[in-house]
Amino acid sequence: MNKRAKKVQKRNAKKKAVQKKINRIAEMERLYLKESKRHQSMLTKSIIIDILTTDLDESNEDTILYFETLERELEVNFDKVKNKPAAFQIEMFEDGINYKTSAWYEVFVRELMNKYGEEDKQARERAWKIATGVMSCMVSASEIVLSEPELFYS
C-alpha cells in the first residue's frame, strides 16, 4: 500500500472513530431519556401530593385541586397516562426564558382565586408554587423511584 492510501485509510479510521463516539453518546442520552420517562410514568398523584405536602409544605387541598382540575379539563387519569401533562412549558431564548401556560392551568388559577377570594397575583403565586413542585417531582422522578423501590416495584 502506498503512502497516500495509508493517509486516506488513517483519516477514514479517525472519522469512523469520531462518528462511533458520537453515536455512542447519542445512544446513552436516548436510553437515559427513555428511563427517565419510564420513571415519570410510574409517579402517581398520591406520591406527588405526599411530596408536595410533606416536603414543600403545600396545602393538601390545593394540590388535590390541582390534579382534579388537570384531570377534569384534560379528561385524563393522571395515574394511567404515560406522558404526564404539565402546567406550563419552558422555552429558552437568547434573551431569556418564556413560560407558556396550559389552558387547564388558567382554570386552576381561577379556581384558587374563587376558593380564597384572592387577587389574581396571589392566586398565581400559589398555583405557581404547586406547578413548579409537580415539575420538580417529574424532573426528579428517577431519584424518587430509585430511592423508594418498594413503592414502585412490588
Side-chain angles (χ1 to χ4, degrees):
M1 191 180 288
N2 64 23
K3 220 177 193 181
R4 186 178 181 333
K6 285 182 182 179
K7 279 185 179 179
V8 169
Q9 188 178 28
K10 192 174 183 180
R11 185 178 51 217
N12 288 342
K14 281 183 183 177
K15 285 181 185 178
K16 199 173 186 179
V18 168
Q19 188 59 45
K20 213 178 220 185
K21 189 173 185 178
I22 290 170
N23 289 346
R24 195 174 325 120
I25 291 169
E27 181 66 12
M28 286 172 45
E29 288 174 354
R30 188 188 69 75
L31 290 173
Y32 174 78
L33 187 63
K34 184 178 178 181
E35 187 71 2
S36 179
K37 288 214 177 267
R38 187 175 75 81
H39 288 150
Q40 286 177 0
S41 71
M42 295 170 88
L43 291 182
T44 62
K45 280 187 299 195
S46 60
I47 290 170
I48 294 173
I49 289 170
D50 183 52
I51 291 170
L52 291 177
T53 55
T54 57
D55 297 342
L56 301 177
D57 297 326
E58 293 296 336
S59 161
N60 192 40
E61 294 172 358
D62 292 348
T63 53
I64 291 171
L65 179 64
Y66 174 90
F67 286 107
E68 287 174 351
T69 306
L70 178 154
E71 291 180 334
R72 183 180 64 246
E73 294 296 316
L74 297 179
E75 298 178 353
V76 298
N77 183 335
F78 185 83
D79 292 343
K80 295 214 183 334
V81 292
K82 285 207 180 273
N83 290 331
K84 306 292 187 189
F88 49 87
Q89 294 156 345
I90 301 171
E91 298 173 344
M92 304 284 276
F93 296 106
E94 287 180 14
D95 58 338
I97 298 173
N98 187 24
Y99 300 96
K100 187 176 182 182
T101 59
S102 302
W104 69 265
Y105 177 75
E106 296 300 325
V107 172
F108 174 60
V109 172
R110 283 195 302 277
E111 287 183 7
L112 283 177
M113 286 172 58
N114 293 338
K115 180 179 177 184
Y116 292 105
E118 294 179 326
E119 297 286 322
D120 182 57
K121 184 178 179 190
Q122 293 167 319
R124 285 194 181 283
E125 287 174 3
R126 199 181 287 261
W128 182 262
K129 285 174 57 181
I130 293 170
T132 54
V134 171
M135 199 171 230
S136 296
C137 288
M138 288 298 154
V139 170
S140 305
S142 293
E143 289 85 10
I144 294 167
V145 170
L146 296 175
S147 70
E148 301 286 340
E150 63 277 358
L151 292 175
F152 302 98
Y153 297 109
S154 48

mmCIF file of all heavy atoms in Angstrom, residues 67-112:
data_model
loop_
_atom_site.group_PDB
_atom_site.id
_atom_site.type_symbol
_atom_site.label_atom_id
_atom_site.label_comp_id
_atom_site.label_asym_id
_atom_site.label_seq_id
_atom_site.Cartn_x
_atom_site.Cartn_y
_atom_site.Cartn_z
ATOM 1 N N PHE A 67 -54.712 18.493 40.767
ATOM 2 C CA PHE A 67 -54.882 17.263 39.991
ATOM 3 C C PHE A 67 -56.329 17.073 39.527
ATOM 4 O O PHE A 67 -56.561 16.572 38.427
ATOM 5 C CB PHE A 67 -54.393 16.050 40.782
ATOM 6 C CG PHE A 67 -52.901 15.974 40.857
ATOM 7 C CD1 PHE A 67 -52.226 16.259 42.030
ATOM 8 C CD2 PHE A 67 -52.155 15.635 39.742
ATOM 9 C CE1 PHE A 67 -50.849 16.204 42.092
ATOM 10 C CE2 PHE A 67 -50.766 15.575 39.789
ATOM 11 C CZ PHE A 67 -50.118 15.870 40.967
ATOM 12 N N GLU A 68 -57.287 17.464 40.350
ATOM 13 C CA GLU A 68 -58.687 17.375 39.929
ATOM 14 C C GLU A 68 -58.945 18.259 38.713
ATOM 15 O O GLU A 68 -59.619 17.847 37.771
ATOM 16 C CB GLU A 68 -59.621 17.772 41.079
ATOM 17 C CG GLU A 68 -59.719 16.733 42.173
ATOM 18 C CD GLU A 68 -60.538 17.200 43.371
ATOM 19 O OE1 GLU A 68 -60.898 18.405 43.444
ATOM 20 O OE2 GLU A 68 -60.814 16.353 44.240
ATOM 21 N N THR A 69 -58.405 19.469 38.739
ATOM 22 C CA THR A 69 -58.565 20.387 37.608
ATOM 23 C C THR A 69 -57.899 19.823 36.365
ATOM 24 O O THR A 69 -58.488 19.818 35.286
ATOM 25 C CB THR A 69 -57.973 21.770 37.947
ATOM 26 O OG1 THR A 69 -58.544 22.251 39.155
ATOM 27 C CG2 THR A 69 -58.225 22.765 36.837
ATOM 28 N N LEU A 70 -56.686 19.343 36.513
ATOM 29 C CA LEU A 70 -55.950 18.751 35.398
ATOM 30 C C LEU A 70 -56.763 17.618 34.766
ATOM 31 O O LEU A 70 -56.967 17.589 33.558
ATOM 32 C CB LEU A 70 -54.601 18.237 35.901
ATOM 33 C CG LEU A 70 -53.660 17.545 34.944
ATOM 34 C CD1 LEU A 70 -52.240 17.718 35.434
ATOM 35 C CD2 LEU A 70 -53.939 16.083 34.768
ATOM 36 N N GLU A 71 -57.232 16.694 35.590
ATOM 37 C CA GLU A 71 -57.954 15.527 35.068
ATOM 38 C C GLU A 71 -59.297 15.912 34.454
ATOM 39 O O GLU A 71 -59.678 15.379 33.410
ATOM 40 C CB GLU A 71 -58.151 14.501 36.181
ATOM 41 C CG GLU A 71 -56.865 13.843 36.603
ATOM 42 C CD GLU A 71 -57.031 12.814 37.708
ATOM 43 O OE1 GLU A 71 -57.983 12.914 38.500
ATOM 44 O OE2 GLU A 71 -56.180 11.908 37.775
ATOM 45 N N ARG A 72 -59.982 16.834 35.087
ATOM 46 C CA ARG A 72 -61.294 17.250 34.575
ATOM 47 C C ARG A 72 -61.157 17.982 33.242
ATOM 48 O O ARG A 72 -61.867 17.686 32.281
ATOM 49 C CB ARG A 72 -61.996 18.139 35.606
ATOM 50 C CG ARG A 72 -63.396 18.562 35.208
ATOM 51 C CD ARG A 72 -64.066 19.441 36.248
ATOM 52 N NE ARG A 72 -63.344 20.700 36.404
ATOM 53 C CZ ARG A 72 -62.697 21.065 37.506
ATOM 54 N NH1 ARG A 72 -62.678 20.290 38.563
ATOM 55 N NH2 ARG A 72 -62.071 22.225 37.579
ATOM 56 N N GLU A 73 -60.233 18.923 33.180
ATOM 57 C CA GLU A 73 -60.088 19.734 31.972
ATOM 58 C C GLU A 73 -59.497 18.957 30.799
ATOM 59 O O GLU A 73 -59.868 19.180 29.658
ATOM 60 C CB GLU A 73 -59.244 20.978 32.265
ATOM 61 C CG GLU A 73 -59.890 21.958 33.223
ATOM 62 C CD GLU A 73 -61.174 22.574 32.681
ATOM 63 O OE1 GLU A 73 -61.203 22.957 31.498
ATOM 64 O OE2 GLU A 73 -62.149 22.671 33.454
ATOM 65 N N LEU A 74 -58.558 18.062 31.074
ATOM 66 C CA LEU A 74 -57.922 17.280 30.003
ATOM 67 C C LEU A 74 -58.615 15.946 29.751
ATOM 68 O O LEU A 74 -58.270 15.239 28.807
ATOM 69 C CB LEU A 74 -56.445 17.039 30.325
ATOM 70 C CG LEU A 74 -55.560 18.276 30.413
ATOM 71 C CD1 LEU A 74 -54.135 17.877 30.757
ATOM 72 C CD2 LEU A 74 -55.594 19.068 29.118
ATOM 73 N N GLU A 75 -59.542 15.594 30.648
ATOM 74 C CA GLU A 75 -60.278 14.330 30.560
ATOM 75 C C GLU A 75 -59.321 13.139 30.500
ATOM 76 O O GLU A 75 -59.425 12.279 29.623
ATOM 77 C CB GLU A 75 -61.233 14.344 29.365
ATOM 78 C CG GLU A 75 -62.302 15.415 29.461
ATOM 79 C CD GLU A 75 -63.218 15.471 28.249
ATOM 80 O OE1 GLU A 75 -62.957 14.760 27.256
ATOM 81 O OE2 GLU A 75 -64.191 16.231 28.306
ATOM 82 N N VAL A 76 -58.381 13.131 31.445
ATOM 83 C CA VAL A 76 -57.422 12.028 31.562
ATOM 84 C C VAL A 76 -57.330 11.605 33.019
ATOM 85 O O VAL A 76 -57.730 12.349 33.910
ATOM 86 C CB VAL A 76 -56.007 12.415 31.069
ATOM 87 C CG1 VAL A 76 -56.002 12.775 29.614
ATOM 88 C CG2 VAL A 76 -55.418 13.525 31.905
ATOM 89 N N ASN A 77 -56.811 10.417 33.233
ATOM 90 C CA ASN A 77 -56.493 9.955 34.582
ATOM 91 C C ASN A 77 -54.983 10.067 34.720
ATOM 92 O O ASN A 77 -54.240 9.357 34.041
ATOM 93 C CB ASN A 77 -56.960 8.512 34.785
ATOM 94 C CG ASN A 77 -56.718 8.006 36.185
ATOM 95 O OD1 ASN A 77 -55.836 8.490 36.895
ATOM 96 N ND2 ASN A 77 -57.496 7.023 36.582
ATOM 97 N N PHE A 78 -54.522 10.954 35.589
ATOM 98 C CA PHE A 78 -53.090 11.236 35.730
ATOM 99 C C PHE A 78 -52.290 9.973 35.980
ATOM 100 O O PHE A 78 -51.210 9.806 35.436
ATOM 101 C CB PHE A 78 -52.859 12.247 36.863
ATOM 102 C CG PHE A 78 -51.442 12.685 37.004
ATOM 103 C CD1 PHE A 78 -50.943 13.701 36.210
ATOM 104 C CD2 PHE A 78 -50.594 12.082 37.914
ATOM 105 C CE1 PHE A 78 -49.626 14.120 36.323
ATOM 106 C CE2 PHE A 78 -49.274 12.488 38.040
ATOM 107 C CZ PHE A 78 -48.793 13.509 37.239
ATOM 108 N N ASP A 79 -52.807 9.084 36.817
ATOM 109 C CA ASP A 79 -52.072 7.864 37.161
ATOM 110 C C ASP A 79 -51.944 6.901 35.992
ATOM 111 O O ASP A 79 -51.026 6.100 35.942
ATOM 112 C CB ASP A 79 -52.739 7.152 38.341
ATOM 113 C CG ASP A 79 -52.626 7.942 39.629
ATOM 114 O OD1 ASP A 79 -51.776 8.865 39.698
ATOM 115 O OD2 ASP A 79 -53.368 7.650 40.570
ATOM 116 N N LYS A 80 -52.858 6.975 35.040
ATOM 117 C CA LYS A 80 -52.877 5.998 33.950
ATOM 118 C C LYS A 80 -52.121 6.448 32.697
ATOM 119 O O LYS A 80 -51.701 5.614 31.917
ATOM 120 C CB LYS A 80 -54.321 5.678 33.588
ATOM 121 C CG LYS A 80 -55.067 4.981 34.714
ATOM 122 C CD LYS A 80 -56.060 4.010 34.175
ATOM 123 C CE LYS A 80 -56.925 3.300 35.115
ATOM 124 N NZ LYS A 80 -56.716 3.000 36.398
ATOM 125 N N VAL A 81 -51.962 7.767 32.514
ATOM 126 C CA VAL A 81 -51.275 8.227 31.298
ATOM 127 C C VAL A 81 -49.767 8.079 31.452
ATOM 128 O O VAL A 81 -49.219 8.266 32.531
ATOM 129 C CB VAL A 81 -51.627 9.696 30.946
ATOM 130 C CG1 VAL A 81 -53.055 9.833 30.521
ATOM 131 C CG2 VAL A 81 -51.288 10.642 32.060
ATOM 132 N N LYS A 82 -49.115 7.715 30.352
ATOM 133 C CA LYS A 82 -47.663 7.543 30.381
ATOM 134 C C LYS A 82 -46.949 8.894 30.298
ATOM 135 O O LYS A 82 -45.999 9.139 31.017
ATOM 136 C CB LYS A 82 -47.221 6.642 29.235
ATOM 137 C CG LYS A 82 -47.546 5.186 29.478
ATOM 138 C CD LYS A 82 -46.564 4.317 28.729
ATOM 139 C CE LYS A 82 -46.838 2.860 28.940
ATOM 140 N NZ LYS A 82 -46.205 2.330 30.109
ATOM 141 N N ASN A 83 -47.391 9.745 29.390
ATOM 142 C CA ASN A 83 -46.811 11.089 29.263
ATOM 143 C C ASN A 83 -47.619 12.038 30.126
ATOM 144 O O ASN A 83 -48.716 12.448 29.754
ATOM 145 C CB ASN A 83 -46.816 11.558 27.811
ATOM 146 C CG ASN A 83 -45.833 10.794 26.967
ATOM 147 O OD1 ASN A 83 -44.818 10.318 27.463
ATOM 148 N ND2 ASN A 83 -46.135 10.651 25.686
ATOM 149 N N LYS A 84 -47.077 12.379 31.274
ATOM 150 C CA LYS A 84 -47.781 13.208 32.243
ATOM 151 C C LYS A 84 -47.904 14.639 31.728
ATOM 152 O O LYS A 84 -46.917 15.224 31.280
ATOM 153 C CB LYS A 84 -47.042 13.225 33.591
ATOM 154 C CG LYS A 84 -46.757 11.852 34.159
ATOM 155 C CD LYS A 84 -47.991 11.127 34.582
ATOM 156 C CE LYS A 84 -47.615 9.843 35.305
ATOM 157 N NZ LYS A 84 -48.707 8.987 35.564
ATOM 158 N N PRO A 85 -49.114 15.204 31.777
ATOM 159 C CA PRO A 85 -49.297 16.583 31.307
ATOM 160 C C PRO A 85 -48.666 17.586 32.266
ATOM 161 O O PRO A 85 -48.642 17.371 33.476
ATOM 162 C CB PRO A 85 -50.822 16.746 31.274
ATOM 163 C CG PRO A 85 -51.374 15.655 32.106
ATOM 164 C CD PRO A 85 -50.348 14.579 32.201
ATOM 165 N N ALA A 86 -48.159 18.670 31.726
ATOM 166 C CA ALA A 86 -47.530 19.709 32.530
ATOM 167 C C ALA A 86 -48.379 20.973 32.508
ATOM 168 O O ALA A 86 -49.144 21.209 31.575
ATOM 169 C CB ALA A 86 -46.147 20.023 31.978
ATOM 170 N N ALA A 87 -48.221 21.783 33.554
ATOM 171 C CA ALA A 87 -48.981 23.024 33.662
ATOM 172 C C ALA A 87 -48.451 24.077 32.696
ATOM 173 O O ALA A 87 -49.204 24.909 32.207
ATOM 174 C CB ALA A 87 -48.927 23.554 35.091
ATOM 175 N N PHE A 88 -47.162 24.047 32.452
ATOM 176 C CA PHE A 88 -46.575 25.015 31.539
ATOM 177 C C PHE A 88 -45.359 24.422 30.852
ATOM 178 O O PHE A 88 -44.821 23.418 31.283
ATOM 179 C CB PHE A 88 -46.202 26.320 32.253
ATOM 180 C CG PHE A 88 -45.413 26.117 33.506
ATOM 181 C CD1 PHE A 88 -44.037 26.015 33.474
ATOM 182 C CD2 PHE A 88 -46.047 26.037 34.733
ATOM 183 C CE1 PHE A 88 -43.309 25.827 34.627
ATOM 184 C CE2 PHE A 88 -45.330 25.847 35.895
ATOM 185 C CZ PHE A 88 -43.955 25.741 35.852
ATOM 186 N N GLN A 89 -44.993 25.084 29.753
ATOM 187 C CA GLN A 89 -43.815 24.667 29.010
ATOM 188 C C GLN A 89 -42.793 25.796 29.080
ATOM 189 O O GLN A 89 -43.153 26.966 29.043
ATOM 190 C CB GLN A 89 -44.173 24.381 27.553
ATOM 191 C CG GLN A 89 -45.087 23.185 27.413
ATOM 192 C CD GLN A 89 -45.891 23.230 26.123
ATOM 193 O OE1 GLN A 89 -45.968 24.246 25.475
ATOM 194 N NE2 GLN A 89 -46.508 22.113 25.786
ATOM 195 N N ILE A 90 -41.550 25.421 29.178
ATOM 196 C CA ILE A 90 -40.482 26.404 29.263
ATOM 197 C C ILE A 90 -39.791 26.478 27.911
ATOM 198 O O ILE A 90 -39.394 25.461 27.355
ATOM 199 C CB ILE A 90 -39.470 26.020 30.358
ATOM 200 C CG1 ILE A 90 -40.171 25.928 31.705
ATOM 201 C CG2 ILE A 90 -38.320 27.010 30.395
ATOM 202 C CD1 ILE A 90 -39.318 25.356 32.812
ATOM 203 N N GLU A 91 -39.691 27.688 27.394
ATOM 204 C CA GLU A 91 -38.986 27.912 26.135
ATOM 205 C C GLU A 91 -37.773 28.787 26.426
ATOM 206 O O GLU A 91 -37.886 29.825 27.066
ATOM 207 C CB GLU A 91 -39.904 28.603 25.130
ATOM 208 C CG GLU A 91 -41.124 27.792 24.759
ATOM 209 C CD GLU A 91 -42.100 28.566 23.892
ATOM 210 O OE1 GLU A 91 -42.002 29.810 23.821
ATOM 211 O OE2 GLU A 91 -42.961 27.925 23.283
ATOM 212 N N MET A 92 -36.614 28.341 25.971
ATOM 213 C CA MET A 92 -35.378 29.093 26.179
ATOM 214 C C MET A 92 -35.082 29.939 24.942
ATOM 215 O O MET A 92 -35.127 29.425 23.825
ATOM 216 C CB MET A 92 -34.217 28.134 26.427
ATOM 217 C CG MET A 92 -34.414 27.176 27.578
ATOM 218 S SD MET A 92 -34.200 27.935 29.151
ATOM 219 C CE MET A 92 -32.446 27.838 29.290
ATOM 220 N N PHE A 93 -34.817 31.217 25.187
ATOM 221 C CA PHE A 93 -34.434 32.136 24.119
ATOM 222 C C PHE A 93 -33.091 32.759 24.478
ATOM 223 O O PHE A 93 -32.652 32.679 25.619
ATOM 224 C CB PHE A 93 -35.486 33.241 23.947
ATOM 225 C CG PHE A 93 -36.828 32.735 23.504
ATOM 226 C CD1 PHE A 93 -37.882 32.672 24.397
ATOM 227 C CD2 PHE A 93 -37.031 32.324 22.202
ATOM 228 C CE1 PHE A 93 -39.124 32.215 23.994
ATOM 229 C CE2 PHE A 93 -38.267 31.855 21.794
ATOM 230 C CZ PHE A 93 -39.320 31.810 22.686
ATOM 231 N N GLU A 94 -32.473 33.402 23.507
ATOM 232 C CA GLU A 94 -31.194 34.055 23.766
ATOM 233 C C GLU A 94 -31.343 35.160 24.805
ATOM 234 O O GLU A 94 -30.454 35.391 25.612
ATOM 235 C CB GLU A 94 -30.620 34.622 22.475
ATOM 236 C CG GLU A 94 -30.084 33.561 21.534
ATOM 237 C CD GLU A 94 -29.524 34.154 20.257
ATOM 238 O OE1 GLU A 94 -29.301 35.370 20.188
ATOM 239 O OE2 GLU A 94 -29.329 33.368 19.318
ATOM 240 N N ASP A 95 -32.482 35.848 24.777
ATOM 241 C CA ASP A 95 -32.681 36.971 25.694
ATOM 242 C C ASP A 95 -33.426 36.587 26.966
ATOM 243 O O ASP A 95 -33.807 37.457 27.748
ATOM 244 C CB ASP A 95 -33.403 38.114 24.978
ATOM 245 C CG ASP A 95 -34.754 37.691 24.417
ATOM 246 O OD1 ASP A 95 -34.957 36.483 24.195
ATOM 247 O OD2 ASP A 95 -35.610 38.569 24.204
ATOM 248 N N GLY A 96 -33.630 35.309 27.207
ATOM 249 C CA GLY A 96 -34.274 34.889 28.440
ATOM 250 C C GLY A 96 -35.121 33.645 28.280
ATOM 251 O O GLY A 96 -35.000 32.904 27.307
ATOM 252 N N ILE A 97 -35.993 33.454 29.268
ATOM 253 C CA ILE A 97 -36.849 32.272 29.313
ATOM 254 C C ILE A 97 -38.297 32.727 29.201
ATOM 255 O O ILE A 97 -38.704 33.732 29.785
ATOM 256 C CB ILE A 97 -36.641 31.507 30.637
ATOM 257 C CG1 ILE A 97 -35.194 31.017 30.739
ATOM 258 C CG2 ILE A 97 -37.608 30.341 30.759
ATOM 259 C CD1 ILE A 97 -34.854 30.414 32.077
ATOM 260 N N ASN A 98 -39.092 31.959 28.468
ATOM 261 C CA ASN A 98 -40.512 32.248 28.321
ATOM 262 C C ASN A 98 -41.302 31.051 28.828
ATOM 263 O O ASN A 98 -40.971 29.912 28.522
ATOM 264 C CB ASN A 98 -40.839 32.521 26.852
ATOM 265 C CG ASN A 98 -42.255 32.999 26.653
ATOM 266 O OD1 ASN A 98 -42.867 33.536 27.567
ATOM 267 N ND2 ASN A 98 -42.773 32.812 25.457
ATOM 268 N N TYR A 99 -42.324 31.314 29.629
ATOM 269 C CA TYR A 99 -43.186 30.254 30.149
ATOM 270 C C TYR A 99 -44.529 30.330 29.435
ATOM 271 O O TYR A 99 -45.157 31.379 29.397
ATOM 272 C CB TYR A 99 -43.403 30.416 31.655
ATOM 273 C CG TYR A 99 -42.138 30.363 32.446
ATOM 274 C CD1 TYR A 99 -41.473 31.527 32.820
ATOM 275 C CD2 TYR A 99 -41.572 29.148 32.805
ATOM 276 C CE1 TYR A 99 -40.288 31.478 33.532
ATOM 277 C CE2 TYR A 99 -40.393 29.088 33.520
ATOM 278 C CZ TYR A 99 -39.760 30.265 33.876
ATOM 279 O OH TYR A 99 -38.597 30.198 34.582
ATOM 280 N N LYS A 100 -44.951 29.207 28.910
ATOM 281 C CA LYS A 100 -46.225 29.137 28.200
ATOM 282 C C LYS A 100 -47.141 28.239 29.015
ATOM 283 O O LYS A 100 -46.865 27.042 29.179
ATOM 284 C CB LYS A 100 -45.989 28.571 26.804
ATOM 285 C CG LYS A 100 -47.175 28.606 25.908
ATOM 286 C CD LYS A 100 -46.785 28.108 24.527
ATOM 287 C CE LYS A 100 -47.951 28.167 23.593
ATOM 288 N NZ LYS A 100 -47.604 27.652 22.270
ATOM 289 N N THR A 101 -48.230 28.807 29.548
ATOM 290 C CA THR A 101 -49.111 28.027 30.413
ATOM 291 C C THR A 101 -50.180 27.303 29.599
ATOM 292 O O THR A 101 -50.563 27.739 28.523
ATOM 293 C CB THR A 101 -49.808 28.929 31.454
ATOM 294 O OG1 THR A 101 -50.559 29.936 30.783
ATOM 295 C CG2 THR A 101 -48.794 29.569 32.382
ATOM 296 N N SER A 102 -50.655 26.196 30.155
ATOM 297 C CA SER A 102 -51.721 25.421 29.531
ATOM 298 C C SER A 102 -53.066 26.033 29.901
ATOM 299 O O SER A 102 -53.200 26.711 30.924
ATOM 300 C CB SER A 102 -51.691 23.981 30.025
ATOM 301 O OG SER A 102 -50.444 23.392 29.745
ATOM 302 N N ALA A 103 -54.082 25.759 29.092
ATOM 303 C CA ALA A 103 -55.423 26.298 29.346
ATOM 304 C C ALA A 103 -55.979 25.782 30.671
ATOM 305 O O ALA A 103 -56.608 26.529 31.427
ATOM 306 C CB ALA A 103 -56.350 25.947 28.189
ATOM 307 N N TRP A 104 -55.745 24.521 30.989
ATOM 308 C CA TRP A 104 -56.283 23.972 32.235
ATOM 309 C C TRP A 104 -55.626 24.605 33.450
ATOM 310 O O TRP A 104 -56.229 24.720 34.517
ATOM 311 C CB TRP A 104 -56.162 22.448 32.284
ATOM 312 C CG TRP A 104 -54.770 21.931 32.399
ATOM 313 C CD1 TRP A 104 -53.951 21.525 31.399
ATOM 314 C CD2 TRP A 104 -54.014 21.773 33.608
ATOM 315 N NE1 TRP A 104 -52.744 21.137 31.895
ATOM 316 C CE2 TRP A 104 -52.747 21.269 33.254
ATOM 317 C CE3 TRP A 104 -54.283 21.989 34.958
ATOM 318 C CZ2 TRP A 104 -51.761 20.995 34.187
ATOM 319 C CZ3 TRP A 104 -53.285 21.713 35.883
ATOM 320 C CH2 TRP A 104 -52.051 21.229 35.503
ATOM 321 N N TYR A 105 -54.386 25.055 33.301
ATOM 322 C CA TYR A 105 -53.679 25.723 34.400
ATOM 323 C C TYR A 105 -54.356 27.060 34.722
ATOM 324 O O TYR A 105 -54.486 27.434 35.889
ATOM 325 C CB TYR A 105 -52.206 25.935 34.022
ATOM 326 C CG TYR A 105 -51.399 26.687 35.048
ATOM 327 C CD1 TYR A 105 -51.001 26.072 36.227
ATOM 328 C CD2 TYR A 105 -51.025 28.007 34.840
ATOM 329 C CE1 TYR A 105 -50.246 26.749 37.169
ATOM 330 C CE2 TYR A 105 -50.273 28.688 35.781
ATOM 331 C CZ TYR A 105 -49.889 28.060 36.939
ATOM 332 O OH TYR A 105 -49.149 28.732 37.875
ATOM 333 N N GLU A 106 -54.805 27.756 33.691
ATOM 334 C CA GLU A 106 -55.523 29.019 33.898
ATOM 335 C C GLU A 106 -56.839 28.766 34.636
ATOM 336 O O GLU A 106 -57.250 29.563 35.484
ATOM 337 C CB GLU A 106 -55.779 29.727 32.565
ATOM 338 C CG GLU A 106 -54.508 30.157 31.847
ATOM 339 C CD GLU A 106 -53.659 31.136 32.653
ATOM 340 O OE1 GLU A 106 -54.224 31.984 33.380
ATOM 341 O OE2 GLU A 106 -52.416 31.050 32.560
ATOM 342 N N VAL A 107 -57.501 27.655 34.352
ATOM 343 C CA VAL A 107 -58.720 27.277 35.075
ATOM 344 C C VAL A 107 -58.377 27.029 36.544
ATOM 345 O O VAL A 107 -59.102 27.452 37.451
ATOM 346 C CB VAL A 107 -59.386 26.025 34.443
ATOM 347 C CG1 VAL A 107 -60.534 25.510 35.289
ATOM 348 C CG2 VAL A 107 -59.851 26.329 33.026
ATOM 349 N N PHE A 108 -57.270 26.363 36.792
ATOM 350 C CA PHE A 108 -56.809 26.102 38.161
ATOM 351 C C PHE A 108 -56.564 27.410 38.911
ATOM 352 O O PHE A 108 -56.968 27.559 40.068
ATOM 353 C CB PHE A 108 -55.540 25.242 38.123
ATOM 354 C CG PHE A 108 -54.886 25.036 39.459
ATOM 355 C CD1 PHE A 108 -55.569 24.426 40.498
ATOM 356 C CD2 PHE A 108 -53.579 25.452 39.675
ATOM 357 C CE1 PHE A 108 -54.961 24.230 41.742
ATOM 358 C CE2 PHE A 108 -52.964 25.256 40.907
ATOM 359 C CZ PHE A 108 -53.663 24.656 41.941
ATOM 360 N N VAL A 109 -55.932 28.381 38.257
ATOM 361 C CA VAL A 109 -55.688 29.685 38.890
ATOM 362 C C VAL A 109 -57.012 30.353 39.249
ATOM 363 O O VAL A 109 -57.173 30.879 40.356
ATOM 364 C CB VAL A 109 -54.834 30.599 37.969
ATOM 365 C CG1 VAL A 109 -54.752 32.016 38.526
ATOM 366 C CG2 VAL A 109 -53.444 30.022 37.768
ATOM 367 N N ARG A 110 -57.988 30.314 38.345
ATOM 368 C CA ARG A 110 -59.307 30.913 38.623
ATOM 369 C C ARG A 110 -59.998 30.209 39.789
ATOM 370 O O ARG A 110 -60.634 30.855 40.630
ATOM 371 C CB ARG A 110 -60.188 30.874 37.372
ATOM 372 C CG ARG A 110 -59.825 31.938 36.351
ATOM 373 C CD ARG A 110 -60.909 32.135 35.300
ATOM 374 N NE ARG A 110 -61.232 30.931 34.554
ATOM 375 C CZ ARG A 110 -60.560 30.491 33.499
ATOM 376 N NH1 ARG A 110 -59.513 31.152 33.069
ATOM 377 N NH2 ARG A 110 -60.913 29.395 32.869
ATOM 378 N N GLU A 111 -59.849 28.880 39.858
ATOM 379 C CA GLU A 111 -60.457 28.149 40.970
ATOM 380 C C GLU A 111 -59.807 28.525 42.300
ATOM 381 O O GLU A 111 -60.491 28.633 43.321
ATOM 382 C CB GLU A 111 -60.375 26.642 40.723
ATOM 383 C CG GLU A 111 -61.330 26.173 39.648
ATOM 384 C CD GLU A 111 -61.312 24.671 39.428
ATOM 385 O OE1 GLU A 111 -60.657 23.948 40.199
ATOM 386 O OE2 GLU A 111 -61.964 24.218 38.476
ATOM 387 N N LEU A 112 -58.506 28.749 42.300
ATOM 388 C CA LEU A 112 -57.838 29.219 43.515
ATOM 389 C C LEU A 112 -58.314 30.621 43.894
ATOM 390 O O LEU A 112 -58.502 30.925 45.072
ATOM 391 C CB LEU A 112 -56.313 29.219 43.341
ATOM 392 C CG LEU A 112 -55.610 27.877 43.421
ATOM 393 C CD1 LEU A 112 -54.117 28.042 43.148
ATOM 394 C CD2 LEU A 112 -55.819 27.210 44.763
#
